[in-house]
Amino acid sequence: MGGYISALFVFVAGCAVGSFLNVVRYRLPRKKGFVRGRSECPACGARIAWYDNIPVASFLVLGGRCRSCGAAISWEYLITEVAAGLSFVLIWLEFPPAEALAYFVFASILIACAGIDYDLRIIPDKLTVPGAVLGIVFSVTLLSGPSRAHSLLDSVVGMLVGGGSLLAVSLLYKAIRGAEGMGGGDIKLMAMVGAFLGYRLALLTIFIASVGGAVVGLLHSRRATEGMRAALPFGVFLSPAALICLLWGEDIVGAYLALLR
Ligand SMILES: [Zn+2]
């Protein structure tokens, strides 16, 4: 029973963090301050009262519309809140508290990056570079606990392999196609993922994201003529793939190795 109550509390807290991540998602790339400013409707600029700004619940009560002007609030913002709530619960159930705390930060940065990449096709260095540094710092503090035995070396090697392998793919793509394939934002995002997850799960992240991107790209190119590259930015796949690897990556690697035997 106590387990359910704490999981519910973590879910609600995660949704609240997701609500803050929406503010980051909207304001950070537009160079607006987001620590002191109050939330406002992007359509009419009306300030959003606290009771209309309760994660998930307000969206449902208001029917997804602004109370002052009736403009539709993007359901994509609801996804950020629910994604944060869900990933916080899953992390909470999987890891001891100190490690869960580090992974809450990791998941938050990933979700913000995915949202901004989806909106604007950029991944801000302001999120990924401090994220990579935190991954290294956590490897000798919060993540030095029993469940993963995540060492400083794992973290540094993970960062180099995570970022380096996407850099190599990007250079190769440029040499063959003569066009920019992957942005520097994806490379730095993967450097952060490697710093948190180590090199094996970083590579698995890239693999899962590539498969996901290829499937969505194929579905998309059947409808549109602009082809696979236009479908969705890669960061939208890398972030959830990294969360999947955080939660179930070791199981996936283990199952794969057992298949080989
Ligand atoms: Zn409005």
Side-chain angles (χ1 to χ4, degrees):
M1 193 62 201
Y4 287 112
I5 291 170
S6 67
L8 183 69
F9 177 78
V10 170
F11 177 76
V12 171
C15 289
V17 170
S19 180
F20 172 71
L21 294 177
N22 272 329
V23 179
V24 173
R25 167 180 176 179
Y26 184 75
R27 296 196 172 205
L28 180 84
R30 293 172 179 84
K31 309 243 185 303
K32 297 185 179 187
F34 57 85
V35 175
R36 270 187 303 167
R38 299 246 327 254
S39 310
E40 54 189 47
C41 167
C44 69
R47 284 198 166 175
I48 298 169
W50 66 267
Y51 50 81
D52 282 344
N53 208 10
I54 298 163
V56 185
S58 290
F59 187 93
L60 299 175
V61 167
L62 294 171
R65 299 195 168 273
C66 166
R67 190 186 284 278
S68 337
C69 71
I73 302 162
S74 173
W75 54 270
E76 289 147 7
Y77 281 77
L78 182 68
I79 288 186
T80 304
E81 292 174 354
V82 175
L86 271 184
S87 39
F88 274 42
V89 167
L90 292 170
I91 288 167
W92 181 253
L93 296 175
E94 180 80 18
F95 298 101
E99 292 173 46
L101 198 63
Y103 290 134
F104 288 162
V105 174
F106 180 51
S108 299
I109 297 174
L110 287 173
I111 290 167
C113 286
I116 294 169
D117 202 19
Y118 180 85
D119 292 343
L120 302 168
R121 303 197 169 221
I122 50 167
I123 301 174
D125 291 351
K126 277 184 186 165
L127 292 175
T128 51
V129 173
V133 172
L134 278 178
I136 304 270
V137 171
F138 286 159
S139 75
V140 288
T141 52
L142 294 176
L143 295 181
S144 57
S147 72
R148 286 286 160 83
H150 193 84
S151 73
L152 178 63
L153 184 66
D154 292 335
S155 191
V156 172
V157 170
M159 185 177 76
L160 295 175
V161 172
S165 46
L166 269 202
L167 178 65
V169 172
S170 167
L171 292 174
L172 195 68
Y173 187 89
K174 203 173 178 185
I176 295 170
R177 302 286 291 270
E180 208 74 49
M182 229 157 323
D186 294 318
I187 293 165
K188 279 168 247 173
L189 178 67
M190 274 315 301
M192 176 186 80
V193 170
F196 272 90
L197 297 185
Y199 80 95
R200 289 199 318 167
L201 295 185
L203 292 175
L204 185 63
T205 297
I206 295 172
F207 176 74
I208 292 174
S210 304
V211 171
V215 169
V216 171
L218 278 174
L219 293 174
H220 180 85
S221 63
R222 284 168 65 98
R223 291 191 284 118
T225 47
E226 65 260 50
M228 281 181 55
R229 291 235 34 97
L232 279 174
F234 200 36
V236 173
F237 297 97
L238 285 173
S239 290
L243 286 173
I244 289 170
C245 288
L246 166 64
L247 293 163
W248 303 293
E250 294 296 344
D251 301 333
I252 297 171
V253 170
Y256 178 71
L257 292 178
L259 266 181
L260 289 184
R261 258 180 245 119

